[in-house]
Amino acid sequence: DAMVIQNPRYQVTQFGKPVTLSCSQTLNHNVMYWYQQKSSQAPKLLFHYYDKDFNNEADTPDNFQSRRPNTSFCFLDIRSPGLGDAAMYLCATSRVRDRTLAKNIQYFGAGTRLSVL
Amino acid sequence: GESVGLHLPTLSVQEGDNSIINCAYSNSASDYFIWYKQESGKGPQFIIDIRSNMDKRQGQRVTVLLNKTVKHLSLQIAATQPGDSAVYFCAEFLTGGGNKLTFGTGTQLKVEL
């Protein structure tokens, strides 16, 4: 059974048209991440939520926003998608009980592949 | 077969042979490492992890070796099967570094029948 669920699996949007990708988890993990992955590249972290605390990566464009209304759900909003935003978007979760604990297994969803026309 | 990670992104092995996938990590202070397997069109899947106070850890058909002196990590897959075909990523973690994994460049493993 899928524990990190991303919807939809495939999303097509038009240039400049806002789009929202969703992620839900049944693991009750306190940390949720959003990554962007382009073809043949490693996942690139956009931001993460540690509980309700939002942590943005320094190089994440303002065009990308996120919301986490509760523990189970997290959304990725792309305000004005450009052609360069076409990619696989991955959601991941982890349980971090102690910020100093040296262990961080992240569990990934299947991803949403975004196409921008 | 054996890869050199960043410099050889594709590794081809015969079914039944052992595979060795290499990774050079960036931060000498990193204290935890993970190997992920990513099949085409899917999200990364956890394979095995290792803390920096260990130099070897074994799982089912997989072994991870850590050499902190040269900042090198390897994943050994025994008796490679067609289902092992995927891209493999190593990832490093630094305690207190912001709950983030830093992914290395992936290696494509192709298993030939």
Side-chain angles (χ1 to χ4, degrees):
Chain A
D1 292 337
M3 297 176 290
V4 182
I5 303 160
Q6 292 189 242
N7 285 305
R9 289 297 312 280
Y10 302 92
Q11 175 73 57
V12 180
T13 191
Q14 293 179 338
F15 183 93
K17 183 175 181 180
V19 66
T20 295
L21 309 181
S22 72
C23 177
S24 64
Q25 54 133 338
T26 59
L27 298 164
N28 201 33
H29 284 172
N30 60 327
V31 189
M32 295 187 76
Y33 306 81
W34 279 105
Y35 290 85
Q36 179 192 66
Q37 186 178 30
K38 297 193 175 181
S39 182
S40 300
Q41 296 183 20
K44 179 181 180 299
L45 183 64
L46 296 173
F47 27 59
H48 76 276
Y49 274 94
Y50 185 102
D51 294 322
K52 294 183 179 179
D53 295 334
F54 178 72
N55 299 269
N56 197 35
E57 293 301 296
D59 58 354
T60 297
D62 292 340
N63 197 28
F64 292 88
Q65 305 285 323
S66 186
R67 296 169 284 134
R68 189 179 186 187
N70 54 52
T71 300
S72 302
F73 286 86
C74 197
F75 300 98
L76 170 62
D77 300 310
I78 308 177
R79 294 192 296 184
S80 182
L83 298 179
D85 297 328
M88 173 78 88
Y89 289 88
L90 294 164
C91 173
T93 73
S94 67
R95 174 171 292 172
V96 180
R97 293 190 181 92
D98 182 338
R99 288 182 188 264
T100 64
L101 184 64
K103 190 175 179 73
N104 186 331
I105 300 177
Q106 294 185 16
Y107 296 89
F108 285 82
T112 294
R113 182 163 296 282
L114 178 69
S115 299
V116 182
L117 304 180
Chain B
E2 184 169 347
S3 83
V4 293
L6 297 178
H7 302 292
L8 193 66
T10 301
L11 174 65
S12 294
V13 298
Q14 293 289 321
E15 182 180 6
D17 287 351
N18 296 332
S19 303
I20 300 175
I21 301 171
N22 296 300
C23 176
Y25 63 91
S26 59
N27 190 341
S28 59
S30 291
D31 50 12
Y32 177 66
F33 304 88
I34 302 179
W35 278 100
Y36 282 96
K37 171 186 179 183
Q38 187 174 24
E39 297 176 87
S40 181
K42 297 183 179 180
Q45 177 185 5
F46 171 84
I47 301 174
I48 191 168
D49 59 352
I50 188 168
R51 295 181 189 268
S52 61
N53 61 353
M54 304 171 68
D55 53 20
K56 180 179 180 179
R57 189 160 190 230
Q58 289 185 292
Q60 186 175 13
R61 279 203 310 122
V62 294
T63 300
V64 56
L65 299 178
L66 175 62
N67 185 332
K68 293 182 291 294
T69 302
V70 295
K71 295 190 293 184
H72 183 268
L73 200 64
S74 70
L75 177 70
Q76 300 179 0
I77 304 174
T80 311
Q81 302 170 358
D84 295 327
S85 294
V87 177
Y88 290 81
F89 292 99
C90 67
E92 59 186 296
F93 178 76
L94 172 64
T95 300
N99 307 305
K100 297 187 293 187
L101 288 174
T102 300
F103 283 83
T105 303
T107 298
Q108 172 82 55
L109 176 65
K110 295 184 177 180
V111 181
E112 298 171 349
L113 303 178

